[in-house]
mmCIF file of all heavy atoms in Angstrom:
data_model
loop_
_atom_site.group_PDB
_atom_site.id
_atom_site.type_symbol
_atom_site.label_atom_id
_atom_site.label_comp_id
_atom_site.label_asym_id
_atom_site.label_seq_id
_atom_site.Cartn_x
_atom_site.Cartn_y
_atom_site.Cartn_z
ATOM 1 N N ARG A 35 131.254 15.413 12.853
ATOM 2 C CA ARG A 35 132.164 16.053 13.805
ATOM 3 C C ARG A 35 131.436 16.925 14.822
ATOM 4 O O ARG A 35 131.927 17.119 15.932
ATOM 5 C CB ARG A 35 133.183 16.906 13.042
ATOM 6 C CG ARG A 35 134.128 16.106 12.164
ATOM 7 C CD ARG A 35 135.220 17.005 11.640
ATOM 8 N NE ARG A 35 136.085 16.306 10.703
ATOM 9 C CZ ARG A 35 137.293 16.739 10.342
ATOM 10 N NH1 ARG A 35 137.763 17.869 10.844
ATOM 11 N NH2 ARG A 35 138.021 16.071 9.482
ATOM 12 N N ALA A 48 112.922 20.315 -4.741
ATOM 13 C CA ALA A 48 113.339 21.625 -5.245
ATOM 14 C C ALA A 48 114.426 21.464 -6.284
ATOM 15 O O ALA A 48 115.544 21.098 -5.966
ATOM 16 C CB ALA A 48 113.836 22.491 -4.095
ATOM 17 N N ALA A 55 118.616 23.757 -7.057
ATOM 18 C CA ALA A 55 118.140 25.014 -6.494
ATOM 19 C C ALA A 55 119.128 25.511 -5.449
ATOM 20 O O ALA A 55 120.238 25.013 -5.334
ATOM 21 C CB ALA A 55 116.744 24.811 -5.896
ATOM 22 N N PHE A 152 141.657 26.521 -0.749
ATOM 23 C CA PHE A 152 140.691 26.959 -1.765
ATOM 24 C C PHE A 152 139.857 25.798 -2.303
ATOM 25 O O PHE A 152 139.062 25.991 -3.222
ATOM 26 C CB PHE A 152 141.410 27.659 -2.911
ATOM 27 C CG PHE A 152 141.937 29.021 -2.542
ATOM 28 C CD1 PHE A 152 143.214 29.171 -2.031
ATOM 29 C CD2 PHE A 152 141.151 30.152 -2.693
ATOM 30 C CE1 PHE A 152 143.711 30.418 -1.681
ATOM 31 C CE2 PHE A 152 141.637 31.408 -2.340
ATOM 32 C CZ PHE A 152 142.915 31.541 -1.828
ATOM 33 N N HIS A 185 136.788 28.896 5.145
ATOM 34 C CA HIS A 185 137.036 28.997 6.584
ATOM 35 C C HIS A 185 137.182 30.451 7.033
ATOM 36 O O HIS A 185 137.042 30.742 8.227
ATOM 37 C CB HIS A 185 138.284 28.186 6.985
ATOM 38 C CG HIS A 185 139.590 28.774 6.563
ATOM 39 N ND1 HIS A 185 140.365 28.229 5.562
ATOM 40 C CD2 HIS A 185 140.281 29.857 7.007
ATOM 41 C CE1 HIS A 185 141.466 28.951 5.427
ATOM 42 N NE2 HIS A 185 141.442 29.943 6.284
ATOM 43 N N GLU A 237 117.717 49.338 -5.866
ATOM 44 C CA GLU A 237 117.037 49.031 -4.611
ATOM 45 C C GLU A 237 117.609 47.773 -3.972
ATOM 46 O O GLU A 237 117.802 47.712 -2.747
ATOM 47 C CB GLU A 237 115.527 48.851 -4.850
ATOM 48 C CG GLU A 237 114.771 50.132 -5.140
ATOM 49 C CD GLU A 237 114.904 50.580 -6.601
ATOM 50 O OE1 GLU A 237 115.511 49.817 -7.404
ATOM 51 O OE2 GLU A 237 114.429 51.677 -6.926
#
Side-chain angles (χ1 to χ4, degrees):
R35 294 189 185 197
F152 288 90
H185 72 251
E237 287 81 5

